[in-house]
Amino acid sequence: MTAERDYWDEALETQSRAEWDRLKLGLLQRHLRHAYDNSPYYRASFDTAGVHPDQVKSLDDIRRFPFITKHVLRERQLAVPPFGDLVAVPERDIVYISASSGSTGVPTASPFTARDFDEWIDYESRQFWSSGMRPLDRYCHSLNFSLFIGGPCVLGAQKLGALSIHAGTVPSERLLQILRQFQATIIWTTPSYAWYLGETAVRDGIDLQRELAVRRIFVAGEPGGSIPETRSRIEALWGARVYDYYGLSDIFGSCAGMCEARNGLHWAEDHILVEALDQDTQLPVKPGDRGELVLTTLKKSARPMIRFRTGDIVSFTEEPCSCGRTSIRMEGVHGRLDDMLIIKGVNIFPSDVEAIARKDNNLTGEYRLVVERIDHLDVLTVEVERAHGYNGTDEDLTHSFARQLKSVTGVTARVTVLPDNTLPRATHKAKRVDDRRAGVWS
């Protein structure tokens, strides 16, 4: 069997929506029974809610089951160390763990059985193939390997047959040296770091398009990869195509990613049941509308995740993709609930501002949102940088940006234009919100 047949499963990936639903329902019924029979937490949780796996006759029945949150994961992990009582296999069957960063609390561990791990890496290979990776590519994996769920994703490239370079998070100068020495054709990092690395190369006199061979950049970890304006700026800098990926430590590495059509992120529907829910009613939103992403694993046996609230605000489409794949596509991560700002009753996410900052070539594309409480009112200031060589006035940039922001978001904000290279550059995930309100943590 050829590699192409291995990682382009036409029968699976082009099936009808009705066939997808039948597949997911069968997987869901078995997975819920596994969780109920083997996890003390889920048995107690389902019994308390008055629900049982045998009651699931359609995918809509998942809405009868209780949510899981990050707080619950931490609480149960501390109560029943080391993994918590959501685990549904004996510890002897666990062969790998990843862990969250702990940026919002105690790091949460995510265990895998050998089968869980193999199925995850197999999906990584399938996703890489859909993004254009082939066995003759040279793939440079520049994500953190230290307990980070993105680390083992490099094995998906190796399984596909690509030459894989385990660079990790080395200093920028060293990474550029690796890219030049081995003429890597694909790199994976965060959008902020792809931007920073490109700027560093230009500063050091490296011609990205002549001296390096990078033609595809996979990005994840921030909403920026789904924002066309951000992708365009990175692509112009590198002369390479940008593909956005989405994953999280509590499930597995790449839960969704862009195919070569780059019209949204195809979801791993044979592994995960996806909901996008209204924040107030907790009912599904219509295709194209924004809702909170809620995930249910369908195969991961070590620690099933039933209705996990991610806190990410997303939108989806079920329209078939021009690539032929029929899995639902995530149109982007518009922000996180914990990053969302409410300014005079209007919700605004950093990604809303990013699309405007990256579209204007008179700006560097860097930005920061500063929130202060003045006279009992929340005031938003957006800091941006003028591009090097800009010949106009800061007043023109200020008025233009404020007008666009008002038009797109409905929010009136102060705009401060700073010199080029004033705002801090992110070497991994960028922190875009500086919340200075007393008693408000950010």
Side-chain angles (χ1 to χ4, degrees):
M1 183 176 288
T2 67
E4 183 166 357
R5 290 177 182 171
D6 284 344
Y7 301 110
W8 164 234
D9 190 339
E10 186 172 3
L12 172 70
E13 298 188 68
T14 65
Q15 65 185 327
S16 69
R17 290 307 308 164
E19 289 172 317
W20 273 115
D21 287 348
R22 283 194 292 273
L23 171 63
K24 289 187 294 184
L25 179 59
L27 293 171
L28 177 64
Q29 290 168 331
R30 289 193 292 273
H31 198 58
L32 289 173
R33 168 57 75 175
H34 170 71
Y36 185 80
D37 288 346
N38 296 286
S39 163
Y41 174 84
Y42 281 119
R43 176 178 286 272
S45 175
F46 293 178
D47 287 347
T48 299
V51 293
H52 191 277
D54 291 347
Q55 298 170 340
V56 175
K57 307 301 181 185
S58 73
L59 293 176
D60 289 340
D61 290 334
I62 191 63
R63 298 205 298 270
R64 301 170 60 185
F65 287 75
F67 293 113
I68 289 289
T69 64
K70 201 76 167 179
H71 174 75
V72 169
L73 293 182
R74 291 194 194 96
E75 181 183 68
R76 300 317 305 161
Q77 183 174 292
L78 291 171
V80 187
F83 306 122
D85 52 1
L86 282 77
V87 170
V89 298
E91 185 174 338
R92 65 176 178 272
D93 292 342
I94 295 173
V95 301
Y96 172 77
I97 61 166
S98 67
S100 66
S101 64
S103 59
T104 57
V106 177
T108 53
S110 181
F112 291 75
T113 65
R115 182 173 179 177
D116 293 339
F117 192 88
D118 288 346
E119 288 185 336
W120 161 30
I121 298 305
D122 186 72
Y123 178 74
E124 293 291 345
S125 299
R126 200 170 90 202
Q127 185 58 61
F128 284 158
W129 186 276
S130 77
S131 300
M133 183 185 290
R134 296 295 182 267
L136 290 178
D137 274 305
R138 297 169 181 170
Y139 170 68
C140 184
H141 193 73
S142 54
L143 295 175
N144 193 343
F145 283 97
S146 179
L147 287 177
F148 176 47
I149 193 66
C153 294
V154 67
L155 300 178
Q158 290 181 204
K159 187 172 184 178
L160 187 151
L163 186 156
S164 298
I165 305 162
H166 296 222
T169 51
V170 296
S172 301
E173 291 76 11
R174 173 62 177 145
L175 181 56
L176 288 168
Q177 181 184 12
I178 290 170
L179 294 176
R180 181 158 45 188
Q181 178 181 356
F182 296 108
Q183 289 293 289
T185 57
I186 301 175
I187 184 173
W188 190 358
T189 184
T190 65
S192 293
Y193 191 61
W195 186 291
Y196 173 83
L197 188 66
E199 286 189 327
T200 300
V202 172
R203 183 198 67 202
D204 292 347
I206 297 173
D207 188 323
L208 289 169
Q209 300 181 35
R210 290 180 179 272
E211 297 182 50
L212 304 185
V214 175
R215 295 297 174 259
R216 285 181 169 84
I217 301 174
F218 299 164
V219 297
E222 299 170 340
S226 294
I227 299 172
E229 293 81 4
T230 294
R231 291 205 310 273
S232 295
R233 292 290 286 270
I234 296 173
E235 288 173 349
L237 186 62
W238 282 84
R241 290 166 64 87
V242 174
Y243 298 78
D244 193 27
Y245 277 52
Y246 177 90
L248 64 169
S249 63
D250 300 297
I251 307 293
F252 58 59
S254 297
C255 301
M258 284 182 170
C259 68
E260 291 196 83
R262 301 191 307 161
N263 188 19
L265 285 70
H266 289 276
W267 202 265
E269 288 197 84
D270 52 328
H271 288 271
I272 304 163
L273 179 66
V274 178
E275 301 174 81
L277 304 182
D278 183 275
Q279 298 168 53
D280 298 321
T281 67
Q282 296 182 349
L283 294 174
V285 299
K286 295 183 296 185
D289 288 352
R290 295 184 179 189
E292 182 186 1
L293 181 64
V294 176
L295 304 177
T296 296
T297 54
L298 296 174
K299 295 181 180 179
K300 190 178 177 186
S301 60
R303 188 187 65 189
M305 294 293 283
I306 311 302
R307 305 201 79 198
F308 177 64
R309 298 186 64 167
T310 67
D312 289 327
I313 303 300
V314 303
S315 59
F316 282 94
T317 179
E318 294 184 356
E319 293 297 318
C321 181
S322 60
C323 74
R325 294 173 178 83
T326 53
S327 52
I328 60 172
R329 282 173 289 134
M330 190 164 68
E331 296 174 309
V333 178
H334 305 291
R336 286 191 52 79
L337 286 176
D338 49 13
D339 279 343
M340 184 179 75
L341 299 172
I342 303 177
I343 305 298
K344 298 179 181 178
V346 179
N347 297 347
I348 184 170
F349 293 96
S351 57
D352 296 323
V353 176
E354 181 167 317
I356 301 169
R358 299 280 162 85
K359 183 169 59 176
D360 190 341
N361 289 325
N362 291 319
L363 301 173
T364 65
E366 291 294 336
Y367 67 96
R368 180 167 58 189
L369 284 68
V370 179
V371 190
E372 301 169 285
R373 187 157 291 157
I374 301 174
D375 294 331
H376 307 290
L377 294 175
D378 291 339
V379 176
L380 172 65
T381 300
V382 180
E383 297 177 339
V384 294
E385 294 178 344
R386 75 178 80 91
H388 179 71
Y390 171 68
N391 294 320
T393 67
D394 288 352
E395 185 178 14
D396 289 341
L397 291 177
T398 297
H399 289 162
S400 174
F401 194 94
R403 184 173 61 252
Q404 292 181 71
L405 184 67
K406 175 70 173 179
S407 174
V408 171
T409 68
V411 170
T412 299
R414 300 173 175 177
V415 178
T416 300
V417 177
L418 304 169
D420 179 19
N421 211 34
T422 300
L423 294 172
R425 266 47 176 176
T427 54
H428 296 291
K429 287 189 178 183
K431 187 178 185 300
R432 302 293 187 185
V433 179
D434 181 3
D435 198 331
R436 301 173 183 175
R437 293 172 291 182
V440 178
W441 181 85
S442 68

